[in-house]
Amino acid sequence: LPNLGDMITAMQFAAPKGEELAAHMKAANGRYFRRNLTSLVALVRSFGAKPLLINMSLNPGFEQRRDPYQAGVAAAVSRNNRIMAEVGSASGTPVVDLYKRLRDSKLFLDAVHVNQAGMALKAQAISDALVTAMQPPPPPPVNPESADPAPKDD
């Protein structure tokens, strides 16, 4: 059996260094994220459901750091959120913008994980979006020219 402590440590801190990090960052362009997200929206609709996209929040303090790994994470979140907005717009799918709603470093435990107050804001944003998405469409407007005239009294 593998040493689970080492495995868990590797999963938590799997930050490549130096040239490996630079190669990963250069190769990451979001092409597969866009393809997979577009496919997922179509799949959800094929089952008659309404998709709702939720982008990723990022601790604003984390964005200011100069460490290459942290800069890479910030760039990836920014890129994927932009792609998500584009896919949402192109497909008519609403996007919950957690990135814009959570812009206070005090709401975060680290780069991306929020504390209890941050979770409450996330939950409210998602709840609001779900309530809006579940509203039935308004009835079509009635064209007065095509409506039946009112019955006449004899």
Side-chain angles (χ1 to χ4, degrees):
L1 288 174
N3 180 334
L4 293 180
D6 289 345
M7 186 183 302
I8 291 170
T9 299
M11 289 167 45
Q12 290 178 338
F13 304 104
K17 305 285 186 227
E19 291 180 22
E20 183 183 3
L21 173 62
H24 287 308
M25 289 174 58
K26 185 176 181 181
N29 60 20
R31 175 178 56 193
Y32 298 114
F33 180 73
R34 180 185 304 277
R35 179 198 64 192
N36 293 343
L37 192 58
T38 301
S39 296
L40 186 60
V41 167
L43 180 64
V44 167
R45 286 205 170 113
S46 77
F47 287 102
K50 295 179 181 180
L52 176 69
L53 302 175
I54 303 168
N55 75 9
M56 189 168 183
S57 56
L58 181 65
N59 184 336
F62 192 83
E63 295 175 77
Q64 308 308 318
R65 296 187 180 174
R66 298 291 176 221
D67 173 85
Y69 177 73
Q70 295 166 343
V73 169
V77 169
S78 178
R79 179 194 64 237
N80 287 350
N81 284 350
R82 178 183 44 78
I83 291 170
M84 188 174 294
E86 291 168 0
V87 169
S89 178
S91 65
T93 303
V95 178
V96 179
D97 194 346
L98 295 180
Y99 181 85
K100 285 186 182 174
R101 292 225 19 193
L102 299 168
R103 299 306 297 157
D104 183 348
S105 292
K106 294 176 186 168
L107 297 171
F108 290 83
L109 299 170
D110 59 18
V112 295
H113 299 99
V114 294
N115 60 23
Q116 189 173 0
M119 189 55 70
L121 289 174
K122 284 175 82 169
Q124 188 62 56
I126 294 167
S127 174
D128 292 347
L130 287 171
V131 167
T132 300
M134 297 308 295
Q135 295 297 316
V142 175
N143 183 347
E145 295 174 7
S146 66
D148 292 333
K152 295 180 182 179
D153 291 332
D154 288 326

